Amino acid sequence: MRKAYFSFYSIAFILLLLGCKTFSLSLEQDGLINIKNATADSTILELYEPYKLQIDKQMNVQIGVLENDLLKEKPESNLGNLCAHIALVQTQLYLNSKIDFAVLNYGGLRVPSIAKGNLLTADIYKLMPFDNSLVSIELDGPTTLKVIEKAAAEGGWPVDGIRFKISNGLPKEILINGEPFDLSKNYTIATIDYLANGGDKMDFLREKKQNMTGVFFRDAIIEYIKKQTLNGQTIKAEKDGRISNE
């Protein structure tokens, strides 16, 4: 199950509603009530203010510098390429095992773009607001092909370590780490537990054994960016033709 990040902002908003003094009901329909002229209770505002200041302080921390704008596109995007690359690198790091390729779902990237310049913790929380963890799964050739076919049928998903063309919604000329895809081989993929548990109509993965990292994907992204920054590097991502339409 996909879990939404429940921030101090959410708590503060609930407290704000509970602290409203006056309500004016203008319409009731199908159990939904529009509330107008709600006045916030200053006591509640004082209660949640320290939490808001605390979360603002955490979210506004600069973790790196982005050299170019990152855009979410299909069949391939530099934003998707970067995220898939981080999934691959960090999953290998956490599990100390080789990963053949990484695949993420397009809808899992929750912002259309990230502007170049200073990268803040808040940017990553907006990009990945869900508590999804990185996992690896070892798949036989036919199941691996189903994963690739799903990515192609959706018009292109974020991937790393794999290249293919999309022709009439189907993948062709599939290369994994530069080698032609082999239906008789097993492949280990990195992904998020949401997909591994059957999310986004990936039911065929549900019964497969997961090697769990125990690390939220957004935390892995933040860790990766901080490490690059400590090494004196900025963050940059480009499209390289790993997925193309025929």
Side-chain angles (χ1 to χ4, degrees):
M1 178 181 296
R2 180 173 289 192
K3 300 176 183 178
Y5 168 64
F6 196 69
S7 69
F8 284 120
Y9 289 120
S10 303
I11 297 172
F13 181 69
I14 292 172
L15 292 174
L16 176 61
L17 291 180
L18 292 175
C20 294
K21 290 182 177 179
T22 61
F23 302 90
S24 175
L25 304 183
S26 62
L27 175 65
E28 181 173 348
Q29 182 178 358
D30 295 329
L32 298 177
I33 301 175
N34 291 331
I35 300 176
K36 291 184 177 181
N37 304 321
T39 303
D41 190 327
S42 59
T43 302
I44 299 299
L45 292 175
E46 291 175 1
L47 178 63
Y48 87 80
E49 184 64 20
Y51 295 99
K52 180 180 183 301
L53 292 176
Q54 180 181 346
I55 199 69
D56 283 348
K57 182 178 180 180
Q58 294 173 354
M59 291 296 104
N60 290 328
V61 172
Q62 181 180 343
I63 57 175
V65 175
L66 184 61
E67 280 193 33
N68 57 327
D69 293 336
L70 298 180
L71 304 177
K72 177 182 172 182
E73 303 172 293
K74 288 186 178 183
E76 177 195 3
S77 71
N78 61 353
L79 177 58
N81 288 353
L82 176 63
C83 291
H85 176 69
I86 293 174
L88 180 65
V89 170
Q90 295 300 106
T91 302
Q92 287 187 144
L93 175 66
Y94 300 141
L95 298 178
N96 192 28
S97 61
K98 182 180 181 299
I99 307 294
D100 292 301
F101 68 95
V103 60
L104 306 170
N105 59 323
Y106 183 79
L109 309 182
R110 305 305 293 182
V111 296
S113 63
I114 301 178
K116 66 180 179 180
N118 294 339
L119 268 174
L120 307 180
T121 300
D123 294 319
I124 310 306
Y125 271 78
K126 292 173 184 177
L127 172 67
M128 294 283 169
F130 304 114
D131 289 343
N132 295 137
S133 298
L134 288 173
V135 302
S136 76
I137 319 172
E138 185 175 334
L139 304 174
D140 56 32
T143 307
T144 302
L145 182 57
K146 286 184 179 180
V147 172
I148 302 169
E149 287 175 338
K150 173 64 174 176
E154 294 292 332
W157 273 0
V159 298
D160 192 41
I162 184 172
R163 302 175 71 90
F164 59 88
K165 294 181 180 180
I166 302 175
S167 177
N168 296 319
L170 295 173
K172 60 180 297 187
E173 300 178 23
I174 304 168
L175 296 176
I176 297 177
N177 294 315
E179 298 292 330
F181 170 69
D182 187 343
L183 196 62
S184 67
K185 289 180 59 176
N186 290 348
Y187 293 93
T188 302
I189 69 169
T191 188
I192 53 175
D193 57 356
Y194 170 69
L195 295 181
N197 292 328
D200 227 329
K201 299 181 180 179
M202 301 278 276
D203 295 341
F204 54 88
L205 292 181
R206 188 173 292 160
E207 302 304 320
K208 303 299 181 180
K209 180 183 176 182
Q210 301 176 24
N211 298 305
M212 296 174 286
T213 66
V215 180
F216 290 151
F217 189 19
R218 64 166 173 264
D219 292 340
I221 295 173
I222 292 170
E223 179 183 327
Y224 176 90
I225 293 172
K226 285 183 175 180
K227 186 184 301 182
Q228 299 301 306
T229 302
L230 284 175
N231 290 334
Q233 300 178 10
T234 55
I235 304 300
K236 185 177 181 179
E238 303 288 354
K239 295 192 289 186
D240 58 15
R242 64 188 64 179
I243 301 180
S244 60
N245 290 315
E246 188 177 61

